Amino acid sequence: MSVNVLFAAQSDAWPEYEAPLRREIAVVGIKAHLNTDIPADQVDYIVYAPNSDLQDFAPYTRAKAVLNLWAGVEAIVGNPTLHLPLARMVDPALTQGMIEWVTGHILRLHLGMDAHITAAPGTWEPVPPPLAFDTRVTILGLGELGAACATALATFGFDVAGWSRTPKVIDGITCFSGSDGLEAALERSDFCVLLLPST
């Protein structure tokens, strides 16, 4: 039996995603009709990008789930017409990319790299660099991405804390939670990284 999978994203994304999606669907042995134009009452699954023109899920009465293309679901989770289960993407590359982005910027700020990059050519200020263990970083949001970034920064020697709505335990990370914990987490921060969804 074949399933109908609607790819719902900006039209310029289809050429980028079509071949990988077809390949991965075939790898797991699913027979699927994958397309960008399937009548709503014939759609079994929706592969969805937040920049999609699709905003009304009510006509998709046969659909079993919406598969979000990225980890962030804030653009869809509040949609009042969403009556289907919503699955967000979990991909090691997304986590690795976020670790690199956050670590790169914390190191840039911690080491004052902007002053060196924008200095007049041939000018060098011999200022001793700070050490990571003297710098306190707080991650707001200890989901999968936040926890991974906190752990990565701790391996550099930073004094890392994190905050989440509910209590978490992460080796080597001071964890705060709730409204009282938020104030305490912010008070101890030299740098603060915001990894909270807007949900």
Short mmCIF file of all heavy atoms in Angstrom, two decimals, residues 85-155:
data_model
loop_
_atom_site.label_atom_id
_atom_site.label_comp_id
_atom_site.label_asym_id
_atom_site.label_seq_id
_atom_site.Cartn_x
_atom_site.Cartn_y
_atom_site.Cartn_z
N PRO A 85 -1.18 15.10 14.96
CA PRO A 85 0.07 15.01 15.73
C PRO A 85 1.18 15.73 14.99
O PRO A 85 1.26 15.68 13.75
CB PRO A 85 0.33 13.50 15.78
CG PRO A 85 -1.00 12.86 15.57
CD PRO A 85 -1.75 13.78 14.65
N LEU A 86 2.04 16.40 15.73
CA LEU A 86 3.15 17.17 15.16
C LEU A 86 4.46 16.57 15.63
O LEU A 86 4.69 16.43 16.83
CB LEU A 86 3.05 18.63 15.61
CG LEU A 86 4.20 19.55 15.22
CD1 LEU A 86 4.28 19.72 13.72
CD2 LEU A 86 4.03 20.92 15.90
N ALA A 87 5.31 16.22 14.67
CA ALA A 87 6.63 15.67 14.99
C ALA A 87 7.68 16.68 14.54
O ALA A 87 7.64 17.16 13.42
CB ALA A 87 6.83 14.33 14.26
N ARG A 88 8.61 16.98 15.45
CA ARG A 88 9.70 17.88 15.07
C ARG A 88 10.91 17.07 14.67
O ARG A 88 11.09 15.94 15.09
CB ARG A 88 10.05 18.84 16.21
CG ARG A 88 10.68 18.17 17.41
CD ARG A 88 11.02 19.18 18.48
NE ARG A 88 11.63 18.54 19.62
CZ ARG A 88 12.91 18.30 19.75
NH1 ARG A 88 13.76 18.66 18.81
NH2 ARG A 88 13.38 17.70 20.82
N MET A 89 11.75 17.65 13.84
CA MET A 89 12.94 16.97 13.36
C MET A 89 14.01 16.91 14.45
O MET A 89 14.25 17.89 15.14
CB MET A 89 13.52 17.70 12.15
CG MET A 89 14.79 17.07 11.61
SD MET A 89 15.54 18.05 10.30
CE MET A 89 14.49 17.64 8.93
N VAL A 90 14.61 15.75 14.60
CA VAL A 90 15.76 15.59 15.47
C VAL A 90 16.88 15.06 14.58
O VAL A 90 16.76 13.99 14.00
CB VAL A 90 15.48 14.61 16.63
CG1 VAL A 90 16.73 14.39 17.46
CG2 VAL A 90 14.34 15.13 17.49
N ASP A 91 17.93 15.86 14.44
CA ASP A 91 19.01 15.51 13.52
C ASP A 91 20.34 15.89 14.18
O ASP A 91 20.49 17.02 14.64
CB ASP A 91 18.81 16.28 12.22
CG ASP A 91 19.86 16.02 11.17
OD1 ASP A 91 20.90 15.41 11.48
OD2 ASP A 91 19.66 16.44 10.02
N PRO A 92 21.29 14.97 14.24
CA PRO A 92 22.58 15.30 14.86
C PRO A 92 23.25 16.52 14.22
O PRO A 92 23.96 17.26 14.89
CB PRO A 92 23.42 14.03 14.65
CG PRO A 92 22.43 12.94 14.44
CD PRO A 92 21.22 13.58 13.80
N ALA A 93 23.02 16.74 12.94
CA ALA A 93 23.64 17.89 12.27
C ALA A 93 23.07 19.21 12.80
O ALA A 93 23.79 20.20 12.91
CB ALA A 93 23.44 17.80 10.76
N LEU A 94 21.78 19.23 13.15
CA LEU A 94 21.19 20.44 13.73
C LEU A 94 21.84 20.75 15.07
O LEU A 94 22.18 21.90 15.36
CB LEU A 94 19.69 20.27 13.93
CG LEU A 94 18.80 20.24 12.70
CD1 LEU A 94 17.38 19.88 13.09
CD2 LEU A 94 18.83 21.57 11.99
N THR A 95 22.02 19.71 15.87
CA THR A 95 22.64 19.90 17.18
C THR A 95 24.09 20.36 17.02
O THR A 95 24.52 21.31 17.68
CB THR A 95 22.58 18.59 17.99
OG1 THR A 95 21.20 18.20 18.10
CG2 THR A 95 23.17 18.76 19.37
N GLN A 96 24.84 19.70 16.15
CA GLN A 96 26.24 20.07 15.94
C GLN A 96 26.37 21.50 15.43
O GLN A 96 27.24 22.25 15.88
CB GLN A 96 26.91 19.09 14.96
CG GLN A 96 28.39 19.36 14.75
CD GLN A 96 29.21 19.20 16.03
OE1 GLN A 96 28.88 18.39 16.89
NE2 GLN A 96 30.27 19.97 16.15
N GLY A 97 25.50 21.88 14.51
CA GLY A 97 25.54 23.25 13.98
C GLY A 97 25.29 24.28 15.07
O GLY A 97 25.94 25.32 15.13
N MET A 98 24.33 23.99 15.97
CA MET A 98 24.04 24.92 17.06
C MET A 98 25.20 24.98 18.04
O MET A 98 25.56 26.07 18.52
CB MET A 98 22.75 24.53 17.77
CG MET A 98 22.31 25.53 18.82
SD MET A 98 21.98 27.19 18.14
CE MET A 98 20.42 26.89 17.32
N ILE A 99 25.81 23.84 18.34
CA ILE A 99 26.98 23.83 19.23
C ILE A 99 28.08 24.71 18.65
O ILE A 99 28.68 25.53 19.36
CB ILE A 99 27.51 22.39 19.43
CG1 ILE A 99 26.54 21.58 20.29
CG2 ILE A 99 28.90 22.38 20.06
CD1 ILE A 99 26.85 20.09 20.32
N GLU A 100 28.36 24.56 17.37
CA GLU A 100 29.43 25.35 16.74
C GLU A 100 29.10 26.84 16.74
O GLU A 100 29.97 27.68 17.00
CB GLU A 100 29.67 24.85 15.31
CG GLU A 100 30.26 23.45 15.28
CD GLU A 100 30.37 22.89 13.88
OE1 GLU A 100 30.14 23.62 12.90
OE2 GLU A 100 30.69 21.68 13.76
N TRP A 101 27.85 27.18 16.45
CA TRP A 101 27.43 28.59 16.39
C TRP A 101 27.56 29.23 17.78
O TRP A 101 28.16 30.29 17.93
CB TRP A 101 26.00 28.67 15.89
CG TRP A 101 25.48 30.07 15.77
CD1 TRP A 101 24.69 30.74 16.66
CD2 TRP A 101 25.74 30.98 14.70
NE1 TRP A 101 24.43 32.01 16.21
CE2 TRP A 101 25.07 32.18 15.01
CE3 TRP A 101 26.47 30.91 13.52
CZ2 TRP A 101 25.10 33.28 14.17
CZ3 TRP A 101 26.49 32.01 12.69
CH2 TRP A 101 25.82 33.18 13.02
N VAL A 102 27.02 28.57 18.79
CA VAL A 102 27.03 29.13 20.15
C VAL A 102 28.46 29.20 20.67
O VAL A 102 28.90 30.23 21.20
CB VAL A 102 26.13 28.30 21.09
CG1 VAL A 102 26.36 28.66 22.54
CG2 VAL A 102 24.66 28.49 20.71
N THR A 103 29.23 28.13 20.52
CA THR A 103 30.61 28.10 21.01
C THR A 103 31.45 29.16 20.31
O THR A 103 32.22 29.88 20.96
CB THR A 103 31.23 26.70 20.80
OG1 THR A 103 30.43 25.74 21.48
CG2 THR A 103 32.65 26.65 21.34
N GLY A 104 31.29 29.28 19.01
CA GLY A 104 32.04 30.28 18.25
C GLY A 104 31.79 31.70 18.75
O GLY A 104 32.72 32.49 18.93
N HIS A 105 30.52 32.01 19.00
CA HIS A 105 30.20 33.38 19.44
C HIS A 105 30.59 33.63 20.89
O HIS A 105 31.03 34.74 21.22
CB HIS A 105 28.74 33.70 19.16
CG HIS A 105 28.49 34.02 17.73
ND1 HIS A 105 28.86 35.21 17.16
CD2 HIS A 105 27.98 33.27 16.73
CE1 HIS A 105 28.55 35.20 15.88
NE2 HIS A 105 28.02 34.04 15.60
N ILE A 106 30.45 32.62 21.74
CA ILE A 106 30.91 32.81 23.12
C ILE A 106 32.42 33.02 23.13
O ILE A 106 32.92 33.93 23.82
CB ILE A 106 30.49 31.63 24.01
CG1 ILE A 106 28.97 31.64 24.24
CG2 ILE A 106 31.24 31.63 25.34
CD1 ILE A 106 28.45 32.85 25.02
N LEU A 107 33.17 32.24 22.38
CA LEU A 107 34.62 32.43 22.32
C LEU A 107 34.97 33.80 21.73
O LEU A 107 35.88 34.48 22.21
CB LEU A 107 35.27 31.31 21.50
CG LEU A 107 35.36 29.96 22.21
CD1 LEU A 107 35.77 28.87 21.23
CD2 LEU A 107 36.33 30.03 23.38
N ARG A 108 34.24 34.21 20.71
CA ARG A 108 34.48 35.52 20.10
C ARG A 108 34.31 36.64 21.13
O ARG A 108 35.16 37.54 21.25
CB ARG A 108 33.49 35.72 18.94
CG ARG A 108 33.56 37.06 18.28
CD ARG A 108 32.41 37.25 17.30
NE ARG A 108 31.88 38.57 17.51
CZ ARG A 108 30.60 38.87 17.64
NH1 ARG A 108 29.68 37.94 17.57
NH2 ARG A 108 30.23 40.10 17.84
N LEU A 109 33.23 36.59 21.89
CA LEU A 109 32.98 37.62 22.89
C LEU A 109 33.94 37.50 24.07
O LEU A 109 34.47 38.51 24.54
CB LEU A 109 31.53 37.52 23.37
CG LEU A 109 30.47 37.82 22.32
CD1 LEU A 109 29.09 37.38 22.80
CD2 LEU A 109 30.48 39.28 21.93
N HIS A 110 34.15 36.30 24.53
CA HIS A 110 35.03 36.04 25.67
C HIS A 110 36.46 36.54 25.39
O HIS A 110 37.09 37.15 26.26
CB HIS A 110 35.03 34.53 25.95
CG HIS A 110 36.11 34.05 26.85
ND1 HIS A 110 36.15 34.35 28.19
CD2 HIS A 110 37.21 33.29 26.60
CE1 HIS A 110 37.23 33.78 28.73
NE2 HIS A 110 37.88 33.14 27.79
N LEU A 111 36.96 36.30 24.19
CA LEU A 111 38.33 36.69 23.83
C LEU A 111 38.43 38.11 23.27
O LEU A 111 39.52 38.58 22.99
CB LEU A 111 38.91 35.70 22.81
CG LEU A 111 39.08 34.27 23.33
CD1 LEU A 111 39.47 33.34 22.19
CD2 LEU A 111 40.13 34.23 24.44
N GLY A 112 37.29 38.79 23.10
CA GLY A 112 37.30 40.15 22.56
C GLY A 112 37.82 40.20 21.13
O GLY A 112 38.55 41.12 20.75
N MET A 113 37.46 39.20 20.33
CA MET A 113 37.99 39.08 18.97
C MET A 113 37.63 40.27 18.08
O MET A 113 38.41 40.64 17.21
CB MET A 113 37.50 37.79 18.32
CG MET A 113 37.98 36.52 19.00
SD MET A 113 39.79 36.39 19.08
CE MET A 113 40.20 36.29 17.36
N ASP A 114 36.49 40.89 18.31
CA ASP A 114 36.08 42.01 17.44
C ASP A 114 37.10 43.14 17.48
O ASP A 114 37.38 43.77 16.45
CB ASP A 114 34.69 42.52 17.85
CG ASP A 114 33.59 41.53 17.53
OD1 ASP A 114 33.88 40.45 16.95
OD2 ASP A 114 32.43 41.82 17.87
N ALA A 115 37.66 43.40 18.65
CA ALA A 115 38.65 44.48 18.77
C ALA A 115 39.89 44.16 17.94
O ALA A 115 40.47 45.04 17.31
CB ALA A 115 39.04 44.69 20.23
N HIS A 116 40.28 42.89 17.89
CA HIS A 116 41.45 42.50 17.10
C HIS A 116 41.14 42.53 15.60
O HIS A 116 41.97 42.94 14.79
CB HIS A 116 41.93 41.10 17.50
CG HIS A 116 42.34 41.02 18.94
ND1 HIS A 116 43.48 41.64 19.42
CD2 HIS A 116 41.77 40.41 20.00
CE1 HIS A 116 43.58 41.42 20.72
NE2 HIS A 116 42.55 40.68 21.10
N ILE A 117 39.94 42.10 15.25
CA ILE A 117 39.56 42.04 13.84
C ILE A 117 39.42 43.44 13.25
O ILE A 117 39.80 43.69 12.10
CB ILE A 117 38.25 41.25 13.68
CG1 ILE A 117 38.50 39.77 14.02
CG2 ILE A 117 37.67 41.38 12.28
CD1 ILE A 117 37.24 38.95 14.19
N THR A 118 38.89 44.38 14.03
CA THR A 118 38.65 45.73 13.51
C THR A 118 39.80 46.70 13.78
O THR A 118 39.71 47.87 13.39
CB THR A 118 37.35 46.31 14.11
OG1 THR A 118 37.48 46.35 15.53
CG2 THR A 118 36.15 45.46 13.73
N ALA A 119 40.85 46.24 14.42
CA ALA A 119 42.00 47.13 14.70
C ALA A 119 42.67 47.54 13.39
O ALA A 119 42.58 46.86 12.38
CB ALA A 119 43.00 46.40 15.60
N ALA A 120 43.33 48.70 13.43
CA ALA A 120 44.06 49.17 12.25
C ALA A 120 45.11 48.14 11.86
O ALA A 120 45.72 47.51 12.74
CB ALA A 120 44.72 50.51 12.56
N PRO A 121 45.34 47.93 10.57
CA PRO A 121 46.35 46.95 10.13
C PRO A 121 47.70 47.21 10.81
O PRO A 121 48.15 48.34 10.92
CB PRO A 121 46.43 47.18 8.62
CG PRO A 121 45.10 47.76 8.25
CD PRO A 121 44.69 48.59 9.45
N GLY A 122 48.32 46.14 11.27
CA GLY A 122 49.63 46.24 11.91
C GLY A 122 49.58 46.63 13.36
O GLY A 122 50.62 46.75 14.01
N THR A 123 48.37 46.85 13.90
CA THR A 123 48.24 47.24 15.30
C THR A 123 47.90 46.02 16.14
O THR A 123 47.02 45.23 15.79
CB THR A 123 47.11 48.28 15.46
OG1 THR A 123 47.33 49.36 14.57
CG2 THR A 123 47.03 48.79 16.88
N TRP A 124 48.60 45.87 17.25
CA TRP A 124 48.32 44.75 18.14
C TRP A 124 48.39 45.23 19.57
O TRP A 124 49.39 45.81 19.99
CB TRP A 124 49.33 43.62 17.91
CG TRP A 124 49.12 42.48 18.86
CD1 TRP A 124 49.88 42.19 19.96
CD2 TRP A 124 48.11 41.49 18.81
NE1 TRP A 124 49.39 41.08 20.59
CE2 TRP A 124 48.29 40.62 19.91
CE3 TRP A 124 47.04 41.25 17.95
CZ2 TRP A 124 47.47 39.53 20.17
CZ3 TRP A 124 46.22 40.17 18.20
CH2 TRP A 124 46.43 39.32 19.30
N GLU A 125 47.35 45.05 20.31
CA GLU A 125 47.32 45.40 21.72
C GLU A 125 47.65 44.14 22.51
O GLU A 125 46.85 43.19 22.52
CB GLU A 125 45.94 45.93 22.13
CG GLU A 125 45.60 47.29 21.57
CD GLU A 125 46.47 48.39 22.16
OE1 GLU A 125 46.86 48.28 23.34
OE2 GLU A 125 46.76 49.35 21.43
N PRO A 126 48.79 44.07 23.16
CA PRO A 126 49.17 42.85 23.90
C PRO A 126 48.42 42.73 25.23
O PRO A 126 48.98 42.98 26.29
CB PRO A 126 50.67 43.03 24.09
CG PRO A 126 50.87 44.51 24.12
CD PRO A 126 49.82 45.10 23.21
N VAL A 127 47.16 42.39 25.14
CA VAL A 127 46.33 42.23 26.33
C VAL A 127 46.24 40.74 26.66
O VAL A 127 45.93 39.94 25.78
CB VAL A 127 44.91 42.80 26.08
CG1 VAL A 127 44.02 42.58 27.29
CG2 VAL A 127 44.99 44.26 25.70
N PRO A 128 46.53 40.34 27.88
CA PRO A 128 46.42 38.92 28.21
C PRO A 128 44.97 38.45 28.05
O PRO A 128 44.05 39.12 28.52
CB PRO A 128 46.85 38.83 29.67
CG PRO A 128 47.24 40.19 30.10
CD PRO A 128 46.93 41.16 29.01
N PRO A 129 44.78 37.33 27.39
CA PRO A 129 43.41 36.85 27.20
C PRO A 129 42.82 36.34 28.51
O PRO A 129 43.53 35.83 29.36
CB PRO A 129 43.57 35.70 26.20
CG PRO A 129 44.96 35.22 26.40
CD PRO A 129 45.78 36.43 26.80
N PRO A 130 41.50 36.49 28.66
CA PRO A 130 40.85 35.93 29.85
C PRO A 130 40.85 34.41 29.75
O PRO A 130 41.04 33.84 28.67
CB PRO A 130 39.43 36.49 29.76
CG PRO A 130 39.22 36.74 28.31
CD PRO A 130 40.57 37.11 27.74
N LEU A 131 40.63 33.76 30.85
CA LEU A 131 40.54 32.30 30.87
C LEU A 131 39.10 31.87 31.07
O LEU A 131 38.33 32.53 31.79
CB LEU A 131 41.44 31.73 31.96
CG LEU A 131 42.93 32.01 31.76
CD1 LEU A 131 43.73 31.53 32.96
CD2 LEU A 131 43.43 31.36 30.48
N ALA A 132 38.75 30.78 30.44
CA ALA A 132 37.35 30.33 30.43
C ALA A 132 36.80 30.11 31.83
O ALA A 132 35.64 30.44 32.11
CB ALA A 132 37.22 29.06 29.60
N PHE A 133 37.61 29.57 32.75
CA PHE A 133 37.05 29.26 34.07
C PHE A 133 36.71 30.51 34.87
O PHE A 133 36.04 30.44 35.89
CB PHE A 133 37.96 28.31 34.88
CG PHE A 133 39.37 28.78 35.07
CD1 PHE A 133 39.69 29.82 35.91
CD2 PHE A 133 40.40 28.14 34.39
CE1 PHE A 133 41.00 30.24 36.09
CE2 PHE A 133 41.71 28.53 34.56
CZ PHE A 133 42.02 29.59 35.41
N ASP A 134 37.14 31.69 34.40
CA ASP A 134 36.76 32.95 35.04
C ASP A 134 35.50 33.56 34.42
O ASP A 134 35.08 34.64 34.82
CB ASP A 134 37.90 33.96 34.91
CG ASP A 134 39.09 33.60 35.79
OD1 ASP A 134 38.87 33.01 36.87
OD2 ASP A 134 40.23 33.89 35.38
N THR A 135 34.94 32.89 33.42
CA THR A 135 33.80 33.43 32.68
C THR A 135 32.57 32.55 32.89
O THR A 135 32.63 31.34 32.70
CB THR A 135 34.13 33.53 31.18
OG1 THR A 135 35.27 34.37 31.01
CG2 THR A 135 32.96 34.11 30.39
N ARG A 136 31.47 33.20 33.28
CA ARG A 136 30.23 32.49 33.56
C ARG A 136 29.25 32.64 32.39
O ARG A 136 28.94 33.74 31.98
CB ARG A 136 29.59 33.02 34.84
CG ARG A 136 30.49 32.81 36.06
CD ARG A 136 30.00 33.58 37.25
NE ARG A 136 29.91 35.00 36.92
CZ ARG A 136 29.37 35.94 37.69
NH1 ARG A 136 28.89 35.62 38.86
NH2 ARG A 136 29.33 37.19 37.31
N VAL A 137 28.82 31.51 31.87
CA VAL A 137 27.87 31.47 30.75
C VAL A 137 26.60 30.79 31.24
O VAL A 137 26.65 29.75 31.89
CB VAL A 137 28.44 30.69 29.54
CG1 VAL A 137 27.44 30.66 28.39
CG2 VAL A 137 29.77 31.27 29.09
N THR A 138 25.46 31.38 30.91
CA THR A 138 24.18 30.77 31.23
C THR A 138 23.42 30.51 29.95
O THR A 138 23.32 31.39 29.09
CB THR A 138 23.35 31.68 32.16
OG1 THR A 138 24.04 31.80 33.41
CG2 THR A 138 21.97 31.08 32.43
N ILE A 139 22.90 29.30 29.83
CA ILE A 139 22.07 28.91 28.69
C ILE A 139 20.62 28.93 29.15
O ILE A 139 20.26 28.23 30.11
CB ILE A 139 22.42 27.49 28.21
CG1 ILE A 139 23.91 27.31 27.96
CG2 ILE A 139 21.58 27.10 26.99
CD1 ILE A 139 24.43 27.94 26.71
N LEU A 140 19.79 29.72 28.51
CA LEU A 140 18.35 29.72 28.81
C LEU A 140 17.69 28.76 27.84
O LEU A 140 17.65 29.00 26.64
CB LEU A 140 17.77 31.12 28.65
CG LEU A 140 18.33 32.19 29.59
CD1 LEU A 140 17.62 33.52 29.37
CD2 LEU A 140 18.24 31.76 31.04
N GLY A 141 17.21 27.66 28.37
CA GLY A 141 16.61 26.60 27.55
C GLY A 141 17.52 25.39 27.57
O GLY A 141 18.60 25.42 26.97
N LEU A 142 17.14 24.37 28.28
CA LEU A 142 17.97 23.17 28.40
C LEU A 142 17.32 21.97 27.73
O LEU A 142 17.36 20.86 28.23
CB LEU A 142 18.25 22.87 29.87
CG LEU A 142 19.20 23.84 30.57
CD1 LEU A 142 19.31 23.50 32.04
CD2 LEU A 142 20.56 23.84 29.91
N GLY A 143 16.73 22.23 26.57
CA GLY A 143 16.24 21.12 25.75
C GLY A 143 17.44 20.44 25.10
O GLY A 143 18.58 20.59 25.54
N GLU A 144 17.18 19.72 24.04
CA GLU A 144 18.25 18.98 23.39
C GLU A 144 19.39 19.89 22.93
O GLU A 144 20.57 19.60 23.15
CB GLU A 144 17.69 18.20 22.19
CG GLU A 144 18.71 17.28 21.56
CD GLU A 144 18.10 16.29 20.61
OE1 GLU A 144 16.91 15.96 20.76
OE2 GLU A 144 18.82 15.84 19.72
N LEU A 145 19.06 21.02 22.30
CA LEU A 145 20.10 21.93 21.81
C LEU A 145 20.80 22.66 22.94
O LEU A 145 22.02 22.78 22.97
CB LEU A 145 19.50 22.94 20.82
CG LEU A 145 18.90 22.36 19.54
CD1 LEU A 145 18.28 23.47 18.70
CD2 LEU A 145 19.94 21.61 18.74
N GLY A 146 20.03 23.16 23.90
CA GLY A 146 20.61 23.89 25.02
C GLY A 146 21.53 23.03 25.86
O GLY A 146 22.63 23.46 26.25
N ALA A 147 21.11 21.81 26.14
CA ALA A 147 21.93 20.91 26.94
C ALA A 147 23.23 20.58 26.21
O ALA A 147 24.31 20.54 26.82
CB ALA A 147 21.17 19.63 27.26
N ALA A 148 23.15 20.37 24.90
CA ALA A 148 24.35 20.06 24.12
C ALA A 148 25.32 21.24 24.10
O ALA A 148 26.54 21.06 24.25
CB ALA A 148 23.96 19.66 22.69
N CYS A 149 24.79 22.45 23.96
CA CYS A 149 25.65 23.64 23.95
C CYS A 149 26.28 23.86 25.33
O CYS A 149 27.47 24.20 25.42
CB CYS A 149 24.85 24.87 23.52
SG CYS A 149 24.38 24.85 21.78
N ALA A 150 25.51 23.67 26.37
CA ALA A 150 26.03 23.84 27.73
C ALA A 150 27.18 22.86 27.98
O ALA A 150 28.24 23.24 28.50
CB ALA A 150 24.92 23.63 28.76
N THR A 151 26.99 21.63 27.61
CA THR A 151 28.02 20.61 27.80
C THR A 151 29.28 20.93 26.99
O THR A 151 30.41 20.78 27.49
CB THR A 151 27.47 19.22 27.42
OG1 THR A 151 26.32 18.95 28.23
CG2 THR A 151 28.50 18.13 27.61
N ALA A 152 29.11 21.39 25.75
CA ALA A 152 30.26 21.74 24.91
C ALA A 152 31.04 22.90 25.51
O ALA A 152 32.28 22.86 25.57
CB ALA A 152 29.79 22.09 23.50
N LEU A 153 30.35 23.93 25.98
CA LEU A 153 31.04 25.07 26.58
C LEU A 153 31.78 24.66 27.86
O LEU A 153 32.87 25.16 28.14
CB LEU A 153 30.05 26.19 26.88
CG LEU A 153 29.53 26.94 25.65
CD1 LEU A 153 28.33 27.81 26.02
CD2 LEU A 153 30.62 27.78 25.02
N ALA A 154 31.20 23.74 28.62
CA ALA A 154 31.86 23.28 29.84
C ALA A 154 33.17 22.56 29.52
O ALA A 154 34.12 22.63 30.30
CB ALA A 154 30.92 22.37 30.62
N THR A 155 33.25 21.91 28.36
CA THR A 155 34.50 21.22 28.01
C THR A 155 35.63 22.21 27.73
O THR A 155 36.81 21.85 27.81
CB THR A 155 34.33 20.30 26.78
OG1 THR A 155 34.02 21.08 25.63
CG2 THR A 155 33.28 19.24 27.02
#
